[in-house]
Amino acid sequence: MPAIVVGSGFGGSVAALRLGQAGVDVLLLERGKLWPHDDHAQVFGSESSIDRRMLWFQLLANYPGLPAVPMIPYPGVMQVDVQPGITVLAASCVGGGSVVYTGVTLQPPRRYFERLYPSGLSYTELDRVYFPRVRAMLSAQTVPEEVYNSAPFTHTRVFDAQFATAGLPVERTPSTFDWQVVRRELAGQVRPSAIVGESSFGNSNGAKHDLTRNYLPAALATGHVRLGALHEVTSIRREAGRYALAVTRRDEDGLTVEQLELTCDRLVLATGSINTTRLLVAARDSGALPGLNEHVGTNWGSNGDAFVFRPYTGPVGPSQAAPIVSTAMVDQGYPVPIRAESAAVSLPGQQPVLHQLSIAVDMDNRGVWRSGLGGQVGLNWQASQSDPALRSALALSERVGGTTGVGSAAATAHPVGGCPIGAATDLAGRVHGCPGLYVLDSSLIPGNVGGANPALTVSALAERAMDQIVQAGG
């Protein structure tokens, strides 16, 4: 095969599309399922309807906040990876993180980007060319006024009012939620999903412009891209100038059908921070890819994720809608700068609660992935490394809501780093020491996006890289 792309999330979908448009034959491998949309049926599980479709091969529902109910192992949409000091969440489906995130499509502020990323990456170029290109492809738009003023967004309006009272301006956030579908939900024309808090395990009615609605169909339409769902890459080696991949192919229930070996001239890894990093660390340390340098496995971070739940008195809606449509960037007065986002929480019958999802700009705390006994690759991360983000989130909650609430930084939904751009790779994701190997996913991010969710930055870096790779012929 001329090229294999592993992973169908933001980076992998960009790579598949741009290679296909350049006339390169591509096999796009994804370990998870391609899930359908249905206006009325519940395709996915949810926090209020827990079932095996939610989690990737789990015996118990060990997702943060869910009761630990028994489950039948199944190729569900979300991987829960418990590491010392932190639980890491990663998508496991066709479309990757675009299926399970809350639609936030923000770019990091220039002041933080330029402190975190290599100097050769031009923020001006990203701002003028690549951030707008991705937003247009994803149909990212701010929430319409009548949707913002609807009952399910009551919690967002309370959040915004609290920040305004504290003298902290909020901004409307571009989102990949499909506001036409949300309007249909409000009108009772399709099954409620976004307006009742569903997002983390997908929106059954297609309420998000996820990658299965833009980049991926465009890639397949080139005629040069073929999708192989339920194909999990378990190891990589280089042999006779080509890359050889060990692949497990599964059926729809997750049962192993066969073990394959696939080879290619060019290989793009885009399986996300923890899984790309694991593959590369294992390949380097086993000697399968001896050219990988010492930066592979380093500069990993949680993106400063912290989750704070605070009670309030005041108006409530019938439910809390899932789309995050308001954020506030707070630069001073806390251990680290912090972006607060108005997320949803479902606690029926209890006191009204606001969920403040916070993303800290942490320049210092980083983890390292290393090989251990039996070649297993694990994370070296101390729980205390999340403390600056959590302290900042709790202090901000006290300022705007009059109570610190209940907070946790023991999990991250935004793992980044492990194959840092400009260190493990060049500025176009070409992996040092391995000709024809590229990384184009969140593992490129240097441990922290810089005051934003990863989706837009990962996609923009991938678009920039693919422009250079296609133009240079590799």
Side-chain angles (χ1 to χ4, degrees):
M1 194 71 194
I4 292 178
V5 175
V6 186
S8 62
F10 290 104
S13 294
V14 169
L17 172 59
R18 302 311 175 195
L19 287 172
Q21 289 177 331
V24 178
D25 289 332
V26 176
L27 176 58
L28 175 59
L29 299 179
E30 168 57 55
R31 63 177 173 165
K33 298 177 65 170
L34 173 60
W35 294 83
H37 293 141
D38 191 292
D39 280 354
H40 303 290
Q42 184 173 356
V43 174
F44 302 104
S46 70
E47 288 90 340
S48 60
S49 181
I50 300 170
D51 67 38
R52 67 178 188 161
R53 295 172 293 182
M54 298 164 65
L55 300 176
W56 179 258
F57 291 104
Q58 293 293 322
L59 290 169
L60 290 173
N62 61 343
Y63 186 85
L66 293 184
V69 298
M71 305 190 83
I72 298 172
Y74 188 76
V77 299
M78 183 76 76
Q79 174 188 2
V80 181
D81 192 291
V82 180
Q83 293 291 320
I86 195 164
T87 294
V88 185
L89 308 177
S92 50
C93 55
V94 174
S98 73
V99 175
V100 299
Y101 83 141
T102 52
V104 177
T105 314
L106 277 173
Q107 63 192 67
R110 180 189 292 268
R111 57 191 178 278
Y112 299 127
F113 182 94
E114 292 180 344
R115 290 176 60 188
L116 283 162
Y117 295 78
S119 58
L121 282 176
S122 167
Y123 187 89
T124 298
E125 179 187 40
L126 291 168
D127 185 51
R128 291 179 178 173
V129 178
Y130 297 108
F131 291 142
R133 180 190 295 179
V134 174
R135 281 194 294 264
M137 282 291 297
L138 298 178
S139 301
Q141 296 181 336
T142 56
V143 61
E145 201 64 25
E146 80 276 11
V147 175
Y148 175 81
N149 286 317
S150 68
F153 286 84
T154 300
H155 68 293
T156 301
R157 297 194 297 276
V158 171
F159 177 97
D160 292 356
Q162 287 185 349
F163 272 76
T165 300
L168 299 172
V170 296
E171 58 182 291
R172 293 285 176 88
T173 303
S175 171
T176 57
F177 270 88
D178 184 334
W179 300 118
Q180 285 300 105
V181 175
V182 175
R183 287 185 176 105
R184 294 182 68 202
E185 289 188 30
L186 291 167
Q189 297 170 351
V190 296
R191 177 185 172 275
S193 182
I195 65 171
V196 296
E198 292 181 357
S199 180
S200 296
F201 303 99
N203 292 94
S204 297
N205 61 15
K208 266 183 282 203
H209 289 291
D210 64 42
L211 293 164
T212 67
R213 297 178 58 183
N214 36 71
Y215 276 98
L216 286 172
L220 297 173
T222 67
H224 291 283
V225 178
R226 180 163 55 92
L227 173 64
L230 290 165
H231 285 64
E232 182 176 19
V233 175
T234 56
S235 68
I236 305 166
R237 72 180 192 279
R238 188 163 172 81
E239 188 174 279
R242 307 190 86 218
Y243 290 96
L245 287 65
V247 179
T248 299
R249 182 170 74 87
R250 297 187 172 92
D251 66 15
E252 288 289 316
D253 290 318
L255 299 176
T256 298
V257 174
E258 61 180 331
Q259 303 290 345
L260 305 170
E261 181 170 281
L262 302 176
T263 61
C264 60
D265 299 315
R266 297 178 185 175
L267 175 61
V268 178
L269 291 182
T271 64
S273 170
I274 61 173
N275 293 305
T276 288
T277 301
R278 272 201 175 103
L279 285 170
L280 290 177
V281 170
R284 179 192 60 195
D285 295 352
S286 69
L289 293 178
L292 294 170
N293 69 23
E294 72 279 9
H295 297 290
V296 171
T298 68
N299 220 1
W300 184 89
S302 68
N303 203 38
D305 279 5
F307 308 87
V308 176
F309 303 88
R310 62 174 177 270
Y312 72 97
T313 57
V316 296
S319 59
Q320 293 194 6
I324 290 176
V325 299
S326 295
T327 74
M329 190 74 221
V330 184
D331 297 287
Q332 297 179 346
Y334 303 99
V336 286
I338 187 170
R339 183 182 293 277
E341 303 182 349
S342 174
V345 62
S346 178
L347 294 172
Q350 300 187 32
Q351 183 177 1
V353 171
L354 295 180
H355 177 190
Q356 173 188 293
L357 168 59
S358 302
I359 296 171
V361 185
D362 189 333
M363 301 283 180
D364 302 315
N365 288 286
R366 301 293 185 266
V368 178
W369 291 83
R370 296 192 175 100
S371 295
L373 294 176
Q376 296 296 311
V377 179
L379 175 64
N380 183 0
W381 176 270
Q382 305 299 316
S384 60
Q385 291 179 275
S386 300
D387 285 350
L390 181 57
R391 291 200 309 271
S392 299
L394 291 171
L396 180 59
S397 179
E398 175 72 32
R399 175 177 174 182
V400 300
T403 175
T404 56
V406 176
S408 173
T412 177
H414 303 126
V416 291
C419 193
I421 192 168
T425 76
D426 73 2
L427 299 185
R430 301 179 182 94
V431 178
H432 293 313
C434 293
L437 177 61
Y438 311 85
V439 166
L440 293 178
D441 61 14
S442 57
S443 60
L444 288 177
I445 303 294
N448 192 278
V449 176
N453 310 61
L456 180 60
T457 301
V458 170
S459 304
L461 291 177
E463 285 278 19
R464 177 186 178 277
M466 288 311 304
D467 274 1
Q468 296 193 12
I469 291 165
V470 169
Q471 183 177 5

